Amino acid sequence: MLKQNTLHYLSVAGFRWMVPVIKLAFWENPREQGQEIVRLIALPLFAILVFLAIWSTAASKIDTSLGSFPGPGVVASAASGLYQEHLAEREKAEAFYQRQEDRNKVKLAKNPDAEVKIRDYTGKPTYFDQIFTSLITVFTGFLVASIIAIPIGIACGLSPLLNTAIAPIIQILKPVSPLAWLPLVTMVVSAVYVSDDPAFSKSFINSAITVTLYCMWPTLINTAVGVANIDKDLINVGRVIQLGWFTQVTKIAIPAALPMIFTGLRISLGIGWMVLIAAEMLAQNPGLGKFVWDEFQNGSSESLARIMVAVVTIGFIGFILDSFMHTLHKMIAHDDAGA
Amino acid sequence: MSTYLDISQISIDFPTKTGPFRALEKVDLKIARGEFISLIGHSGCGKSTVLNIVAGLYQATEGAVVLESKEVNQPGPDRAVVFQNHSLFPWLTVYQNVELAVKQVFKGRKSKAEIRHWVEYNLGLVQMSHASHKLPGEISGGMKQRVGIARALAMEPKVLLMDEPFGALDALTRAHLQDALMEIQAELNNTVILITHDVDEAVLLSDRIVMMTNGPAATVGEILSIDLPRPRERLTLADNVDYNHYRAAVLTFLHQKQAKSDHKASTKKPHELRLADTNKPAEVALKKATGA
Ligand SMILES: Nc1ncnc2c1ncn2[C@@H]1O[C@H](COP(=O)(O)OP(=O)(O)O)[C@@H](O)[C@H]1O
Ligand SMILES: [Mg+2]
């Protein structure tokens, strides 16, 4: 039973490739598991190796003004270099705080009433700081987009009139590249968001709003379609038992549309992530995009390799975000789509 | 026979691009309390439309539906509907599906314990107690339909409306469900309108079979009273003369309608005209049989 549950959760969480490994450990149909392992693990692994080989050969043939294009090996060592830099920076920060504490202790020993303060360390953000910033930004933008898009989507799905009314607006706003919004967002935020002690930095808000503006549409449209296409019979059941309007929405419309809502959310998060990187590059807002841009401007011999690390990281995080949404979808919404 | 449910001269127009489409024309039917009525007719003739008007899901353009001397034109649990495709909420368990309806219908009238007891009782009626914690996706089509019936029965409806409830099931499952329905009917003596396209089902279950003419402007064609003693056993009925006679009468009606509609559709084919003509004696025989 425990094993069954574990296997089920692994499949749901997108670790289907682990299922045959575990089954094999229990010596369950070893032949079949072997075939599954070949199919789910060996085959993709082989494809990755082929890809690395092609990359490696191609890279050595491309010469840029910054030296030859980085192959997999160079990129791997650049990644470890970034990690070392991160550790070094953290050590520096710790030492900085340690020094302050020591100094304060001495001060307090001399005079117990002395005012002591700790100043923040203002070192250069490391690669991992940039990743963290980007993740926070994309989730914020995505969250705001969902909070706006889901209720509007539900309203549009429920009311054909409203849907007809705002469909043209959506159709026109949807294809606008978020990068066209960016200058406007920046100007508006600087004008409107004035505070002496801002809780969030302006660049963070600019990036988040840009993400919101672009990634709310798939959620909105999918939610509307999901709600509008609920099985008529289910609605009729609600009418026969005389559910009130609000209960009708919460007990029937939303759960029934949940699979579609999740499909929308998944698309939204995916494109939100793509857009964020571009916005960060263009606006010089902190995050992975800025890292790429800075390295590009830097133009050192290491730059290309470090940009490649960022490319792989961006792809990997995008993949993880997508799996995360997929898992959430399968756990929450009852449909076969995710299977 | 005192009238419990009066479907009085109802007509309906559906708006279409080419103007109003009259689906039903003066459908008139009086049903007694505890009566089991089957509606039979060709696909698309308007059976579901009749049922939906009685349910209050559609509004008749003309005429009225009167239940216990009160006109009804809103949906309500006193006219519970069993839909062809079970229409259970896929995210709720079997128990929760029935419970949702019971909670809503008996709001303020039943205590928590009474609600639980009533849900369990109705699941027991359709022999689904064992699966009450399962999701609809985890049980068979026949089981889902049982739960749909339990949900409808749990509303304690004055009239139970069923739209081809067994249409999507295989023959064996269908037979089981028909038997279950007959048992429940013997116990509860509900007033039922059942839409079916299965002649055997109609004869086996009904007190009266209402045969509808083809659309557009469909209406009641013939009404056949089934005076077979209850309880009815499908196996013994197979050799029953009356049973076979009733079956033949319904089949004849349907075939004759089929022939007529073909004839209407393609007047160029003379052989179909002859086919329709040869059905004339059958029509007379049917009228004799039904006393119409
Ligand atoms: N909501 C609707 N709008 C327009 N036409 C409808 C609607 N519902 C049913 N009809 C038409 O009314 C006729 C009868 O349909 P229906 O009652 O579903 O037939 P049945 O249940 O006997 O197969 C059909 O021609 C169908 O196209
Ligand atoms: Mg129908």
Side-chain angles (χ1 to χ4, degrees):
Chain A
M1 201 60 210
L2 180 68
K3 188 185 73 182
Q4 280 308 322
N5 282 341
T6 316
L7 292 180
H8 175 73
Y9 283 116
L10 282 176
S11 314
V12 167
F15 293 105
R16 225 167 75 71
W17 54 272
M18 280 179 66
V19 170
V21 179
I22 292 180
K23 281 190 176 167
L24 190 65
F26 282 87
W27 210 246
E28 185 179 306
N29 278 341
R31 242 185 97 85
E32 202 178 287
Q33 304 318 330
Q35 285 166 353
E36 279 284 278
I37 287 175
V38 167
R39 196 168 67 85
L40 293 175
I41 301 176
L43 217 56
L45 224 51
F46 176 71
I48 290 175
L49 286 177
V50 170
F51 175 76
L52 289 178
I54 294 174
W55 174 11
S56 180
T57 352
S60 63
K61 296 214 164 73
I62 305 173
D63 274 316
T64 72
S65 58
L66 297 177
S68 72
F69 195 84
V74 182
V75 170
S77 60
S80 101
L82 282 169
Y83 182 59
Q84 297 307 330
E85 273 172 35
H86 171 75
L87 292 182
E89 194 67 22
R90 280 286 179 277
E91 254 169 42
K92 261 204 243 168
E94 228 160 82
F96 176 76
Y97 285 119
Q98 191 62 46
R99 271 202 307 279
Q100 289 194 59
E101 244 172 66
D102 291 347
R103 218 177 303 142
N104 287 336
K105 253 188 226 156
V106 175
K107 236 191 227 175
L108 284 172
K110 274 188 197 155
N111 172 14
D113 301 326
E115 258 186 49
V116 297
K117 49 182 184 231
I118 303 264
R119 274 177 300 130
D120 281 339
Y121 177 71
T122 49
K124 178 172 163 281
T126 69
Y127 185 63
F128 292 87
D129 294 334
Q130 303 280 38
I131 294 178
F132 185 72
T133 309
S134 286
L135 281 175
I136 294 284
T137 316
V138 80
F139 271 113
T140 309
F142 170 68
L143 204 71
V144 174
S146 310
I147 291 170
I148 299 172
I150 293 175
I152 299 182
I154 290 172
C156 285
L158 289 174
S159 156
L161 278 180
L162 180 66
N163 197 16
T164 318
I166 73 171
I169 302 178
I170 295 175
Q171 296 304 339
I172 291 170
L173 291 184
K174 189 175 66 125
V176 175
S177 162
L179 303 180
W181 286 117
L182 193 61
L184 299 175
V185 171
T186 312
M187 295 317 289
V188 171
V189 168
S190 340
V192 175
Y193 187 72
V194 273
S195 132
D196 295 334
D197 182 24
F200 307 106
S201 69
K202 276 185 185 157
S203 59
F204 167 78
I205 292 181
N206 289 338
S207 303
I209 291 181
T210 308
V211 169
T212 300
L213 280 177
Y214 197 55
C215 81
M216 60 188 270
W217 309 113
T219 301
L220 199 159
I221 292 168
N222 275 278
T223 304
V225 170
V227 171
N229 290 334
I230 298 171
D231 183 356
K232 231 146 161 71
D233 283 352
L234 294 187
I235 307 238
N236 282 338
V237 171
R239 292 176 66 195
V240 167
I241 62 177
Q242 295 179 327
L243 285 179
W245 181 86
F246 185 73
T247 329
Q248 182 96 279
V249 171
T250 54
K251 291 243 161 119
I252 301 183
I254 294 177
L258 219 47
M260 280 298 278
I261 295 178
F262 266 101
T263 306
L265 288 174
R266 194 173 160 195
I267 300 172
S268 281
L269 187 56
I271 66 174
W273 179 242
M274 288 203 282
V275 154
L276 174 69
I277 304 299
E280 285 169 349
M281 276 181 80
L282 193 72
Q284 300 286 293
N285 292 340
L288 275 171
K290 182 170 161 55
F291 172 86
V292 170
W293 187 253
D294 287 349
E295 287 299 334
F296 179 56
Q297 295 299 327
N298 223 355
S300 81
S301 57
E302 269 205 320
S303 287
L304 287 186
R306 285 155 76 102
I307 292 177
M308 259 328 269
V309 175
V311 166
V312 174
T313 311
I314 292 167
F316 208 72
I317 291 177
F319 168 67
I320 290 174
L321 292 181
D322 191 61
S323 311
F324 169 72
M325 288 308 292
H326 186 59
T327 306
L328 216 59
H329 180 163
K330 280 210 251 177
M331 282 187 334
I332 295 174
H334 284 287
D335 68 334
D336 317 318
Chain B
M1 176 186 101
S2 71
T3 304
Y4 185 62
L5 174 68
D6 188 358
I7 301 172
S8 178
Q9 303 284 339
I10 55 172
S11 308
I12 191 167
D13 293 329
F14 287 117
T16 62
K17 289 202 184 81
T18 54
F21 169 76
R22 173 139 297 206
L24 298 176
E25 172 74 29
K26 293 199 163 60
V27 172
D28 199 76
L29 186 62
K30 291 177 180 21
I31 300 171
R33 185 173 196 148
E35 210 178 0
F36 195 118
I37 300 282
S38 287
L39 271 184
I40 202 164
H42 286 293
S43 176
C45 74
K47 305 180 293 294
S48 299
T49 306
V50 171
L51 202 86
N52 281 323
I53 293 173
V54 175
L57 295 167
Y58 287 177
Q59 297 294 319
T61 314
E62 292 159 23
V65 176
V66 180
L67 175 61
E68 275 197 313
S69 326
K70 276 198 240 44
E71 183 173 348
V72 286
N73 41 29
Q74 291 289 321
D78 57 344
R79 283 150 290 131
V81 186
V82 178
F83 297 94
Q84 173 162 14
N85 284 314
H86 68 80
S87 62
L88 299 177
F89 299 112
W91 55 90
L92 296 180
T93 64
V94 162
Y95 181 91
Q96 289 167 332
N97 262 286
V98 181
E99 185 193 41
L100 177 71
V102 172
K103 269 191 176 160
Q104 178 66 21
V105 173
F106 296 96
K107 210 189 278 174
R109 283 195 284 151
K110 275 193 200 297
S111 71
K112 259 191 184 154
E114 282 170 329
I115 286 177
R116 184 164 46 81
H117 183 253
W118 183 238
V119 173
E120 280 164 3
Y121 169 76
N122 281 283
L123 284 175
L125 269 184
V126 296
Q127 291 145 27
M128 283 303 296
S129 305
H130 62 281
S132 59
H133 59 278
K134 292 217 164 119
L135 289 171
E138 299 167 341
I139 58 178
S140 70
M143 288 179 170
K144 280 184 241 193
Q145 211 48 269
R146 281 176 191 265
V147 179
I149 293 172
R151 177 172 64 188
L153 290 173
M155 299 177 203
E156 275 193 326
K158 290 175 181 162
V159 184
L160 182 60
L161 305 170
M162 305 209 260
D163 193 347
E164 302 192 19
F166 313 136
L169 305 176
D170 63 275
L172 199 62
T173 312
R174 200 186 313 157
H176 280 308
L177 278 174
Q178 288 162 354
D179 290 342
L181 187 61
M182 275 196 289
E183 274 170 37
I184 292 168
Q185 184 58 9
E187 192 175 330
L188 304 178
N189 202 29
N190 277 310
T191 309
V192 183
I193 302 180
L194 169 92
I195 295 179
T196 179
H197 53 237
D198 179 341
V199 176
D200 293 301
E201 181 171 287
V203 177
L204 180 69
L205 297 175
S206 313
D207 296 317
R208 283 191 294 160
I209 299 177
V210 175
M211 293 170 267
M212 288 186 60
T213 63
N214 286 344
T219 191
V220 174
E222 309 276 350
I223 298 180
L224 183 64
S225 283
I226 310 293
D227 296 319
L228 292 170
R230 289 180 192 270
R232 297 174 183 167
E233 293 268 351
R234 72 177 65 245
L235 288 179
T236 46
L237 280 180
D239 305 322
N240 183 309
V241 181
D242 289 334
Y243 174 82
N244 287 311
H245 170 74
Y246 290 133
R247 264 185 99 247
V250 177
L251 279 172
T252 313
F253 177 87
L254 290 176
H255 278 278
Q256 177 191 325
K257 284 293 161 214
Q258 186 67 63
K260 271 192 186 158
S261 69
D262 286 353
H263 166 57
K264 249 191 264 169
S266 55
T267 36
K268 281 174 210 146
K269 291 184 188 165
H271 65 278
E272 283 188 348
L273 203 72
R274 280 202 303 278
L275 182 66
D277 282 343
T278 53
N279 273 330
K280 271 266 162 56
E283 193 176 22
V284 175
L286 181 72
K287 280 199 171 144
K288 257 190 217 157
T290 58

